[in-house]
Amino acid sequence: MHQSSTLYVGWDVHQESIAVAYVAKAHDAEVIFLGTIGTRQADIDQLVRTLQAKAKHLVFVYEAGPCGSWLYRDLTNTGHICGVVAPSRMPKQAGDRVNTDRRDAVQLARLMRSGDLTPVDVPKVEDEAMRDLTRAREDALRDLKAAKFRLKAFWLRHAIRSTGSATWGPAHLRWLSEVIRPTPAQPMVFQAYVRAVNEHTARLGRLERARQDQVQSWRVSPVVEALQALRGVQFTVAVTTVAELGDRTRFDHPRPLMKCLGLIPSESSSGERRRQGTLTTAGNTHARRALVEGAWSSRLPLRLEPQPKAIQEISWKAHVRLCKRFRRLMARGKHANQIVVALARELVGFMWAIAKQVPVTP
């Protein structure tokens, strides 16, 4: 093998091991399974040196998974080409029920050589940090809702009724601290539920303040500010979508972005019959949920004053189009959930257009 040749290296990455296979660029070359290595930096460096002795150019690929993007960054920082592919986009043969680390590594190397893999966009370190922060806030909000649900279920079982409204304000919390039950065990359970609500509330507040502070120094903060010119796109919706989707301008048209978010209907058509079903719900769940929530709030007022004229025009165009779309779907008797999803899909296109207008530091 000449030094000018290229090797395509497939990795099947796990927490403690990596299965490795490689294949030369020649069409008739056989895929060679190299074996399994550890995940330490010394193990990876030794493997890279071994492969560089066989070929000058190395192209690595592995599936996205729970182990994160550290391997991608380590390889690209050293000047190598590396791709990360989504497992859901991997071509699979019908009836193939065998799945091993060796087969996965071999298949990755073979498909990368043939050009049948489409790598996903790997976020920068600071973008991934903001995404972790937004997801941590979502987790805290979900835990808070679950804690409140358990506490309210306890009220219902024991016929505890509040004298005021359950706003979880100071007066309501004082009432919670004064509730008395006849047995020693029940007050312990009740106060444990109350403490859980208070702890999750405090954690949610800390994360929201941290998110507000971090966005100020984020390199894409101008995009976050510009997106809030759209109706329904508040701070949370803007930060979540930008953190989850990264650079929207990598899409040449908003339709692939809608497809990436799973906001397009599924379809089962054959011959002259055309049948569309529910949403594909593929892609990023967090961003899709934020966009649907924004569509529910699309009657909020516009924020045009601090924005440039180009963004104001896009925002006003979105306002007119979404209102017209809403009235037409209502007149056709569509369900409210279907209307909201349709508005969210339209909203993605205008968010893409605004992102095109805002320069971002690389």
Side-chain angles (χ1 to χ4, degrees):
M1 182 177 299
H2 300 290
Q3 288 294 321
S4 59
S5 62
T6 302
L7 286 184
Y8 295 90
V9 186
W11 307 64
D12 189 49
V13 182
H14 299 280
Q15 182 178 1
E16 301 294 340
S17 63
I18 302 176
V20 182
Y22 67 90
V23 61
K25 188 176 182 180
H27 179 71
D28 57 347
E30 294 291 335
V31 183
I32 300 175
F33 179 67
L34 195 60
T36 303
I37 65 171
T39 56
R40 298 178 304 172
Q41 188 64 46
D43 299 328
I44 297 174
D45 292 341
Q46 182 179 358
L47 174 66
V48 171
R49 288 193 298 268
T50 302
L51 295 176
Q52 283 181 329
K54 302 176 181 294
K56 182 178 180 180
H57 302 288
L58 302 177
V59 179
F60 298 91
V61 62
Y62 67 96
E63 289 182 329
C67 295
S69 306
W70 64 270
L71 184 57
Y72 168 87
R73 297 191 179 102
D74 180 73
L75 293 172
T76 53
N77 289 337
T78 56
H80 298 290
I81 300 175
C82 182
V84 183
V85 297
S88 59
R89 303 295 298 274
M90 286 285 295
K92 293 184 179 180
Q93 294 181 353
D96 188 2
R97 297 295 184 270
V98 179
N99 182 23
T100 63
D101 295 348
R102 175 172 182 161
R103 287 172 62 95
D104 288 345
V106 169
Q107 185 183 25
L108 283 168
R110 182 185 297 113
L111 292 175
M112 192 65 178
R113 180 185 63 176
S114 61
D116 293 329
L117 296 180
T118 303
V120 299
D121 182 66
V122 179
K124 297 180 180 295
V125 176
E126 56 271 19
D127 297 342
E128 188 176 24
M130 184 58 66
R131 186 183 65 183
D132 292 338
L133 187 57
T134 58
R135 291 185 180 182
R137 178 195 170 276
E138 288 185 11
D139 295 337
L141 184 60
R142 191 179 301 111
D143 294 340
L144 177 59
K145 290 181 178 179
K148 289 182 178 179
F149 176 80
R150 297 187 187 99
L151 181 56
K152 291 180 178 180
F154 186 87
W155 297 349
L156 184 62
R157 289 197 304 269
H158 299 283
I160 301 175
R161 291 179 174 84
S162 174
T163 55
S165 58
T167 59
W168 304 98
H172 185 64
L173 295 177
R174 283 196 300 270
W175 171 81
L176 289 175
S177 63
E178 296 171 357
V179 172
I180 300 175
R181 299 306 303 159
T183 65
Q186 289 175 339
M188 295 175 59
V189 175
F190 183 77
Q191 292 304 323
Y193 286 148
V194 173
R195 284 195 300 271
V197 171
N198 293 334
E199 291 171 0
H200 292 313
T201 301
R203 179 162 65 101
L204 179 61
R206 290 193 300 268
L207 290 172
E208 288 182 341
R209 290 190 295 270
R211 184 188 60 174
Q212 186 77 35
D213 296 338
Q214 293 297 320
V215 168
Q216 300 300 324
S217 58
W218 196 18
R219 64 183 184 87
V220 293
S221 59
V223 180
V224 175
E225 181 65 27
L227 291 179
Q228 295 179 63
L230 295 169
R231 296 185 64 177
V233 182
Q234 295 178 311
F235 179 76
T236 297
V237 177
V239 173
T240 302
T241 53
V242 173
E244 293 292 340
L245 298 178
D247 185 13
R248 289 177 176 80
T249 58
R250 70 180 187 272
F251 297 97
D252 297 330
H253 193 271
R255 183 167 293 277
L257 181 57
M258 300 173 188
K259 182 179 179 181
C260 176
L261 290 168
L263 288 173
I264 61 175
S266 58
E267 185 173 351
S268 177
S269 302
S270 178
E272 299 179 355
R273 178 181 62 85
R274 184 173 184 266
R275 179 180 299 173
Q276 289 185 321
T278 58
L279 296 180
T280 60
T281 62
N284 196 295
T285 305
H286 305 275
R288 182 171 62 252
R289 185 188 303 114
L291 286 167
V292 172
E293 290 178 358
W296 277 111
S297 307
S298 58
R299 296 185 180 182
L300 295 173
L302 297 174
R303 298 174 64 250
L304 298 178
E305 292 79 7
Q307 302 300 334
K309 182 175 177 57
I311 295 179
Q312 292 184 20
E313 292 176 353
I314 295 174
S315 180
W316 181 252
K317 182 179 179 181
H319 166 66
V320 174
R321 182 178 176 88
L322 293 180
C323 290
K324 185 183 298 184
R325 181 78 166 162
F326 177 82
R327 290 194 298 266
R328 287 181 177 177
L329 293 177
M330 284 290 293
R332 291 169 56 184
K334 294 293 184 180
H335 193 273
N337 293 340
Q338 293 178 304
I339 297 175
V340 167
V341 171
L343 296 182
R345 184 166 53 247
E346 297 281 348
L347 194 60
V348 171
F350 291 105
M351 295 175 74
W352 174 85
I354 288 180
K356 284 279 192 180
Q357 299 292 328
V358 182
V360 176
T361 303

